Amino acid sequence: MLVLYIVLGVVALVLLVAALIPATGVIRRSIVINRSPEEVFAYVADFQNYLNWNPWSKMDPQATNTISSPSTGVGASWAWDGKKVGQGKLTTEALEPGRAIRSRLEFFKPFKGLATDSWSFEPNGTGTRVTWGYEGKQSWPVNRLFWVLMVKRMLTQQFDQGLAEIKTQLNG
């Protein structure tokens, strides 16, 4: 009987911890690139450039990538389907030229999900502070625990890699 109470107590504790984790997962990462906001914006806003810098393309080079035509502007999209990166689609919803991008990020496989992918470009001395953001709902309890234990750290590293690669691409 004691074992049952211990198991129930552990389950209750895990559920309580999951309930205390925010329902929305948020990441914001920044880097300064020695180019104008307009130049960095133009590079990031064009899905044709995504395969050059995003960490997921490098992780799964065999994935199928479909880029809309036109590849930039409201409604432009990039879809992927791969063994390692799963299946999803990123669609531009709003643009403020030289300042901001907001996109709808949909995941289809291996799990369904919806998030917002955002970018801001702010003058910073002789360059631009580029901030890449992610915001997505995390269901209770499993996804919230998974977010805290694994996903947030992994995505943070991947965002940092992507930003560093954009800097390398633009600064040569």
Side-chain angles (χ1 to χ4, degrees):
M1 194 67 160
L2 178 61
V3 171
L4 178 62
Y5 288 135
I6 291 172
V7 169
L8 289 175
V10 168
V11 169
L13 181 61
V14 167
L15 294 175
L16 177 63
V17 167
L20 297 174
I21 296 169
T24 301
V26 177
I27 295 174
R28 299 245 188 282
R29 303 301 290 172
S30 297
I31 196 168
V32 175
I33 298 175
N34 294 322
R35 295 290 184 124
S36 71
E38 293 77 19
E39 289 175 290
V40 183
F41 171 89
Y43 186 79
V44 173
D46 189 341
F47 286 120
Q48 288 292 342
N49 297 321
Y50 268 55
L51 302 182
N52 298 329
W53 63 263
N54 86 70
W56 301 283
S57 292
K58 295 178 186 318
M59 182 187 339
D60 195 353
Q62 305 306 316
T64 302
N65 294 281
T66 305
I67 297 171
S68 66
S69 181
S71 59
T72 188
V74 173
S77 66
W78 164 52
W80 62 91
D81 189 355
K83 290 182 180 177
K84 295 180 183 176
V85 294
Q87 184 181 39
K89 185 175 183 181
L90 185 63
T91 306
T92 304
E93 291 187 322
L95 297 168
E96 292 179 54
R99 299 194 53 196
I101 303 168
R102 188 185 77 242
S103 300
R104 176 185 178 93
L105 179 56
E106 299 171 274
F107 301 101
F108 306 120
K109 291 181 184 174
F111 56 88
K112 290 191 181 286
L114 182 62
T116 299
D117 185 77
S118 62
W119 293 85
S120 66
F121 309 88
E122 300 171 11
N124 184 289
T126 60
T128 302
R129 173 167 296 285
V130 181
T131 302
W132 186 7
Y134 168 95
E135 190 168 318
K137 297 280 185 203
Q138 309 303 325
S139 62
W140 179 82
V142 176
N143 285 354
R144 289 188 197 180
L145 292 168
F146 193 53
W147 173 261
V148 168
L149 297 174
M150 216 172 119
V151 174
K152 185 173 184 176
R153 182 177 18 163
M154 182 178 65
L155 281 179
T156 297
Q157 290 171 351
Q158 291 168 333
F159 275 39
D160 287 344
Q161 289 170 358
L163 289 166
E165 189 59 34
I166 291 170
K167 184 174 184 169
T168 297
Q169 295 281 321
L170 290 176
N171 289 340

